[in-house]
Amino acid sequence: MSDLTILADQTTEMLKAPYQARHFIDGTYVDSADGRTSERVSPSHGVVVSQAALGSAVETEAAIKSARAAFDDGRWSRLPAKDRAAVLNKVADLIEQNVERLAVIETLESGKPISQARGECGGAADLWRYAASLARTAHGDSHNTLGADILGVVVKEPIGVVSVITPWNFPFWILSQKLPFALAAGCTCVVKPSEVTPSTTAMLGDLLQEAGLPAGVCNIVLGYGDPVGSLMTTHADVDMVTFTGSTAVGKMITKSAGDSLKKVALELGGKNPQVIFPDADLENAADAVTFGVYFNVGQCCNSSSRIIVHEDIADAFVERVVALSRKVVFGNPLHADTQVGAIVTPDHQAKIDGYVKEAVAAGAEVCLGGHHMSVAGLGSQFYEPTVIRGVTPDMAIVREEVFGPVLTVLTFRSLDEAIALANDSTYGLSAGVWSENVHTCLEFCRRAEAGTVWTNTWMDGFPELSFGGMKQSGQGREIGKYGYEEFLEVKSLVMRIGRTRAPWVKMA
């Protein structure tokens, strides 16, 4: 059966009857106690594609109770690491076997192109496999130099119950940056996906069961941040919160979790610069800039939404980016050749347009786009590829996260000025530099205030390399060894050998 036939069959099924997403608590799918649900209308096709249970405090409490019991009785936390790894590897196999089903519903709910959804869902399997490898290779330290009668051992233990809260823009991928690493460490989890794109997370429950994950180890509650997310971040039985989303919500979570001193890991917003020097491979740089701003319709924390170009090449480089932008295929997300799909909601589209109009009113020049666009048969929940020059560093469109297919252009004369402009942001998620001079690249990398810095590329990522931000782009790290260790507590064991301890109380 061809990919096109599979896609047609899957899409027909999804559009004929909305997918029913339910809570997954203690190994069982359940509806909300009050029967409440929410519907997701596809941003690209304008039809209801999923109906999800809306959780309340009842379901959230039940999920946390289940995760707490599963952690405390050791059914997962005290399981040999090779057994945990075997389950995670099985989940990876099952993800690959269900890529098409996952990708179709993610495309319909999010508006992203089917090719991108396939890449994310299929690629997530590698994150699960890498997490499985970390489960088997984690170790502590021993100290045999503390004296003849003392042996010190440092061990690493799972932190406990983890609340996992994920966003709408990469629902399955970002879940896979968190959940398998927490499970590899021996933690138990309560997961809440965005109410906008809940279905692939709900589908994961089937795969976890089939892989043999014990009941209660991973629980999924669907619904809104209030009440589900807020209870997940404040509950006394939760030991850690890992969240990806906006900086504003991240700050709220930090405050609410602070009352019980929970550990909090945050991957938040970004206003990511790419700096282009005159000696760069300009053709490659322009293509990477175009990819960086339109990937996922710019609805990406790693979007390269601002470029900083040397004055000597600025005009020619912008012309090149505009020319490439005109060739990017915006359209029906279910078409294989589509590169950019729909905006997630009408409200978000209006927000994007508001940033553009405000910049134009302040004197910025629109080189391309700047308006809503319509796709034949699918309506107008799309936005044109947009390039804006004549901006200043104080404009909102330069400083704030637009989260859309909008690129702003600043210029510089010297390396110091370029670095200053790159760092002139409350964010610090990622940055990029383009130059054939290794010394220029290295100095930029060392001075850029960002958790990831790319040189002569953009958005290449690997499970081995941790990801996270500086400043208001977050705290803690995801994936890689450092992301795995976020879910571990460190404990020191001090053991005296023989009866060598000197008494403290002086006997008469």
Side-chain angles (χ1 to χ4, degrees), residues 36 123 144 271 351 435 446 461:
R36 294 177 66 226
N144 200 33
K271 194 65 182 176
K351 178 183 174 183
S435 172
R446 296 184 72 172

Side-chain angles (χ1 to χ4, degrees), residues 241-255:
V241 179
T242 175
F243 167 81
T244 295
S246 72
T247 295
V249 175
K251 290 177 180 179
M252 292 170 57
I253 287 174
T254 301
K255 290 177 181 178

Side-chain angles (χ1 to χ4, degrees), residues 127-191:
L127 294 171
W128 286 80
R129 291 198 177 99
Y130 184 67
S133 74
L134 291 174
R136 300 200 66 171
T137 56
H139 59 85
D141 302 292
S142 63
H143 297 267
N144 200 33
T145 58
L146 306 177
D149 58 348
I150 295 289
L151 176 64
V153 177
V154 178
V155 298
K156 297 177 181 178
E157 299 180 345
I159 197 168
V161 175
V162 179
S163 287
V164 179
I165 304 175
T166 57
W168 51 261
N169 55 340
F170 298 97
F172 199 77
W173 179 263
I174 290 178
L175 174 64
S176 298
Q177 290 190 161
K178 300 175 183 289
L179 180 59
F181 294 87
L183 295 176
C187 298
T188 60
C189 299
V190 179
V191 177

